[in-house]
Amino acid sequence: MAPRMEPAIILVRPQMGENIGAAARAMLNFGLTDMRLVAPRDGWPNPRAVAMASGAAGRVLDRARVFATLAEAMADVDYAYATTARGRELTKPVLTPATAMADARQRHAQGGRTAILFGPERAGLENDDVARANAIITVPVNPDFPSLNLAQAVLLNGYEWARESLPPEPAPHGRRPDGEAPATRIEIEKLADHYEERLEAAGFFFPAEKAPAMKLTLRNLWSRLPLTRADTRIFHGMLRQLVRRAD
């Protein structure tokens, strides 16, 4: 089987179903679906994990594989990163999530397969677990409080894995309400015509020889504004109300 183009997320001896479910949601936020569970404390499947996973249940939890040992879960992995905040006597490269996932992308581009190991919620990975990894990931957080929730740790690494493929700016989800859509050229033209007509009637364009330049400036102003369709309706309504009051 060809290597998947994503790291495997291996949860080693996870304790709470809710945390497994939350980790699944964090994975799917960034397109990760290969979850592996090593000796989950409460067995598998776990209804609490399914409830917490919400929409990620079908695409992550239903495909999750359970292994008795970490060695079995890593059987097809070429390079693994162990997440831990504690200092270790084991000599290994220590990376941030950003540098680790940049390294992982390179390895996958060359046909390799990677995994990120996450330990139990209470104590994290043991030395025997870390010894099976090639490198350590440590998040540069407040040294006085380095503890991260399991799902938070998965989310951070998932974000760094996917960051090069993410849009540079947040995209609106789903269809935008009609009023939030940008005003069309015709709508802006009609708005400019409405104001020019009413200002003309009110004697705004005075003296006559300056009227063409004033109209041109006002028309240019409308075209420069980043108006939405709702904005144009508000401006039309404001002008109508002012005219009614003047009458």
Side-chain angles (χ1 to χ4, degrees), residues 159-218:
Y159 171 77
E160 294 296 346
W161 163 258
R163 67 182 304 173
E164 290 193 354
S165 61
L166 297 173
E169 297 292 338
H173 178 70
R175 184 178 175 184
R176 296 172 103 184
D178 181 68
E180 293 182 11
T184 66
R185 173 58 49 190
I186 292 175
E187 287 168 332
I188 294 174
E189 287 288 337
K190 288 183 176 179
L191 181 63
D193 290 342
H194 189 187
Y195 270 78
E196 185 174 307
E197 175 189 346
R198 293 301 184 182
L199 290 172
E200 181 88 64
F204 177 78
F205 300 113
F206 179 85
E209 61 271 16
K210 292 186 178 180
M214 295 172 70
K215 291 178 181 180
L216 181 63
T217 299
L218 187 60

Side-chain angles (χ1 to χ4, degrees), residues 63-76:
R63 302 177 185 179
R65 289 177 284 169
V66 180
F67 299 87
T69 67
L70 178 56
E72 292 172 323
M74 295 176 61
D76 62 344

Side-chain angles (χ1 to χ4, degrees), residues 22-214:
R25 292 178 70 164
M27 286 173 61
L28 196 57
N29 282 151
F30 300 105
L32 299 172
T33 58
D34 187 0
M35 174 181 276
R36 306 180 188 189
L37 306 173
V38 177
R41 184 190 66 183
D42 297 334
W44 194 256
N46 187 314
R48 292 183 177 180
V50 174
M52 180 61 74
S54 186
R59 299 177 62 182
V60 179
L61 292 186
D62 287 353
R63 302 177 185 179
R65 289 177 284 169
V66 180
F67 299 87
T69 67
L70 178 56
E72 292 172 323
M74 295 176 61
D76 62 344
V77 171
D78 303 309
Y79 198 93
Y81 309 87
T83 59
T84 178
R86 297 200 304 271
R88 303 285 181 175
E89 60 269 24
L90 303 172
T91 303
K92 293 181 186 294
V94 180
L95 311 172
T96 65
T99 54
M101 292 303 96
D103 179 70
R105 286 193 295 271
Q106 275 193 328
R107 294 179 186 279
H108 279 267
Q110 296 166 4
R113 186 161 196 170
T114 67
I116 313 172
L117 316 182
F118 299 87
E121 296 90 320
R122 180 168 296 181
L125 294 168
E126 297 178 358
N127 279 352
D128 286 347
D129 304 319
V130 178
R132 296 185 180 280
N134 304 91
I136 289 173
I137 296 176
T138 296
V139 181
V141 295
N142 177 5
D144 294 330
F145 190 69
S147 177
L148 285 176
N149 175 272
L150 174 60
Q152 292 172 331
V154 172
L155 187 77
L156 280 171
N157 284 280
Y159 171 77
E160 294 296 346
W161 163 258
R163 67 182 304 173
E164 290 193 354
S165 61
L166 297 173
E169 297 292 338
H173 178 70
R175 184 178 175 184
R176 296 172 103 184
D178 181 68
E180 293 182 11
T184 66
R185 173 58 49 190
I186 292 175
E187 287 168 332
I188 294 174
E189 287 288 337
K190 288 183 176 179
L191 181 63
D193 290 342
H194 189 187
Y195 270 78
E196 185 174 307
E197 175 189 346
R198 293 301 184 182
L199 290 172
E200 181 88 64
F204 177 78
F205 300 113
F206 179 85
E209 61 271 16
K210 292 186 178 180
M214 295 172 70

